[in-house]
Every structure is written in structure tokens, then in C-alpha cells.
């Protein structure tokens, strides 16, 4: 039946009919997006769990998932002083399913951005408001990934909300400097995830304040130097 005849027959505006036809022909609805491990039959594990663990750590630190657009937009902000970290965020997004990654540089920061319908499938922690104002719990499959790749998860967390600094201690007229790692986050849930991953990696930590954690013991710093290192 011709399009005009359908509209006339139904007594429905052309735009509405076009909308119905368009939606039923929409590729994203009629064909599963094979890049999403959860929307294919059968569902599978994430394709690159090491990169996923890193992206999850980054997202929980400085990431944001905007769902008010037609296509969800994942943004991870990073200081322009760390081009190596920016490149790593982009690589992680691509490894997890992004087709394209963009950059929005402003006021010394780069917002690394990627639009994809399936970011909410991969990052179900999205929600309204700030992360520290809501409960953040990992799903069973996310916990499994983080348990296998705690180092990559810590790398993401410390690349976003952490740093490696020289701590100076004055003693007996001398100044001693030793490296330490700090992680700062207002969410008690995210802090707990960081502590769990450190425990799993055999790294001793202590809290400097309710929102700041420190790893200062030599053995722990050596472990984190292996999986995190200084941001560059
Ligand atoms: Zn999906």
C-alpha cells in the first residue's frame, strides 16, 4: 500500500506514520549490536576484561554517563598534563566497544567522550546526581572482572582520583623523601572498592581522612609502581 494511502486510511499524520515505519526499520532495534556483550544471544563476558577493569576505575573516578541524549554519552575528564593517561582512556573506550572517541579540550582539561547506546549496559552504576550521593555497588560480573584484574582497576582509579607524590619527612635535622600514593574520593562505596582491590593485591593502606587513602609502605609502593606508576 502506498505511503499516502496508509496515512489517509489510518487518518494519522504523515510524521507519525513515518515514525512508526522508521522505528521498525531502525537497524539498532532489528539487529543486535554485536559490540555489546549483554545484548547479543547468548550474552557473553566483556571482550577485553583488563581494559574494562581500567575503564571502570576511570569511570568511577572522573567519569560521567549522560543519558538525556538520544545516544548515551560517556565522558571521562583528564588533566591535559597527562597525555599518556588521555591516550589510555581512549584506548580503553575503543577496546570496550566504542566506535569513535572524541576530545573536548577546555580550561586545562580534556573531556574524552564517546557516544554509544550500550554504555549503560557496561556501566550500570549510572544514576542521577553525584556518585558520592548514591549507592555504588558492582554487579556480580563486574566484581568477577575486578577480582581477576585488580591492578588494572587500581590503575584506573589512581589515574583519575589518585597521584604518586614525594612525601618529605624531617627527622634529626635531615629531610627524607619517599614516594607514596594517595587516592581521594568522596564516595565511601568507591573508597571501599579501592581498599578491596588493594587488599587483593597485597597492598597495605591507611586512611588519612574519611575521603583520602594513602599507600606509603615501601612494599606497597613497589606493587603500585608496577601497576600504576606516575601519571604521564
Ligand atoms: Zn547492550
Amino acid at each position: 500500500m502506498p505511503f499516502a494511502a496508509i496515512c489517509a486510511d489510518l487518518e494519522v499524520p504523515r510524521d507519525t506514520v513515518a515514525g512508526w515505519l522508521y522505528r521498525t526499520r531502525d537497524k539498532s532495534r532489528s539487529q543486535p549490536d554485536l559490540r555489546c556483550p549483554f545484548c547479543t544471544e547468548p550474552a557473553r563476558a566483556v571482550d577485553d576484561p583488563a581494559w574494562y577493569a581500567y575503564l571502570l576505575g576511570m569511570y568511577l573516578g572522573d567519569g560521567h554517563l549522560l543519558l538525556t541524549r538520544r545516544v548515551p554519552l560517556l565522558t571521562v575528564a583528564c588533566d591535559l598534563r597527562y597525555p599518556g593517561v588521555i591516550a589510555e582512556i581512549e584506548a580503553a573506550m575503543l577496546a570496550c566497544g566504542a566506535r569513535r572517541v572524541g576530545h573536548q579540550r577546555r580550561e586545562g582539561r580534556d573531556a574524552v567522550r564517546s557516544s554509544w547506546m550500550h554504555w549503560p549496559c557496561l556501566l550500570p552504576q549510572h544514576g542521577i546526581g553525584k556518585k558520592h550521593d548514591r549507592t555504588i555497588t558492582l554487579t556480580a560480573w563486574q566484581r568477577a572482572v575486578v577480582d581477576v584484574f585488580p591492578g588494572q582497576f587500581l590503575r584506573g582509579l589512581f589515574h583519575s582520583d589518585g597521584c604518586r607524590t614525594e612525601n618529605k619527612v624531617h627527622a634529626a635535622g635531615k629531610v627524607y623523601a619517599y614516594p607514596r600514593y594517595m587516592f581521594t574520593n568522596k564516595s565511601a562505596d568507591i573508597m571501599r572498592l579501592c581498599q578491596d582491590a588493594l587488599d587483593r593485591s597485597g597492598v597495605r593502606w591507611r586512611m588519612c581522612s574519611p575521603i583520602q587513602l594513602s599507600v606509603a609502605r615501601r612494599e606497597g609502593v613497589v606493587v603500585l609502581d608496577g601497576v600504576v606508576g606516575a601519571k604521564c
Side-chain angles (χ1 to χ4, degrees), residues 36-39 117-118 121-122:
C36 178
F38 306 105
C39 292
M117 285 308 290
H118 297 270
C121 306
L122 273 89

Side-chain angles (χ1 to χ4, degrees), residues 47-59:
D47 292 335
D48 199 326
W51 273 124
Y52 179 77
Y54 178 78
L55 186 66
L56 178 61
M58 262 291 172
Y59 165 71

Side-chain angles (χ1 to χ4, degrees), residues 208-228:
C208 311
S209 79
I211 63 162
Q212 191 165 56
L213 172 152
S214 155
V215 173
R217 292 173 74 104
R218 223 177 97 75
E219 316 84 74
V221 169
V222 168
V223 173
L224 289 188
D225 279 347
V227 293
V228 181

Side-chain angles (χ1 to χ4, degrees), residues 142-161:
Q142 285 178 309
R143 273 202 306 279
V145 169
V146 167
D147 283 352
V148 176
F149 294 98
Q152 279 294 100
F153 181 59
L154 288 169
R155 187 175 175 83
L157 288 174
F158 278 86
H159 272 182
S160 53
D161 283 341

